[in-house]
Amino acid sequence: VQLQASGGGLVQPGGSLRLSCAASGFTLDDYAIGWFRQAPGKEREGVICINNAVGVGSTYYDDSVKGRFTISRDNAKNTLYLQMNSLNSEDTAVYYCAAHARRTQDSGLYYCLRPYVFDYWGQGTLVTVSS
């Protein structure tokens, strides 16, 4: 079982990036998945989380990214995406994708507040927003 994150890089303020998270060994669309980030000197925080066992209604967006970031999934490729628009310096962080490989009825908010419940983590990809 593996999650492979990619797509990070340097982007100017106001720019966009799309992060990818390819899963192998299990199917993303059956379980809770999320994007987290950790900025230097700060704790890891949940950005967007969704419990696919519940459906899109479970999606949680942190206030800091609402209207700018979106999550999507390509089931054929078993890949999760994070589209990030209108980036600013506060978005600079290492971004991680994660999956909780048990079917539950918990909300996306539940998962974003509890990174410790996730079973699998990608290696992290660095996003730097700077001019």
Side-chain angles (χ1 to χ4, degrees):
V1 175
Q2 190 175 18
L3 293 173
Q4 183 74 33
S6 62
L10 174 64
V11 62
Q12 292 187 340
S16 298
L17 274 178
R18 189 178 79 158
L19 306 184
S20 300
C21 177
S24 59
F26 70 102
T27 303
L28 281 172
D29 63 356
D30 287 339
Y31 305 111
I33 52 179
W35 284 99
F36 292 79
R37 66 185 180 186
Q38 188 164 18
K42 295 187 177 181
E43 292 187 356
R44 190 171 300 190
E45 63 175 356
V47 176
I48 303 177
C49 296
I50 179 172
N51 186 352
N52 290 309
V54 175
V56 294
S58 72
T59 307
Y60 167 77
Y61 293 84
D62 185 78
D63 285 345
S64 64
V65 305
K66 277 181 183 176
R68 302 188 299 123
F69 290 14
T70 55
I71 192 172
S72 63
R73 192 175 72 245
D74 185 330
N75 290 339
K77 296 182 178 179
N78 205 28
T79 298
L80 179 70
Y81 300 102
L82 178 66
Q83 178 66 44
M84 306 185 294
N85 299 325
S86 302
L87 287 161
N88 58 61
S89 59
E90 304 218 335
D91 297 316
T92 294
V94 177
Y95 284 72
Y96 300 88
C97 56
H100 176 72
R102 281 180 286 277
R103 294 178 65 90
T104 74
Q105 293 297 304
D106 295 311
S107 67
L109 173 60
Y110 172 92
Y111 281 102
C112 264
L113 293 178
R114 296 167 178 81
Y116 51 84
V117 305
F118 284 86
D119 304 291
Y120 306 113
W121 289 84
Q123 79 282 14
T125 183
L126 176 62
V127 173
T128 303
V129 184
S130 176
S131 55

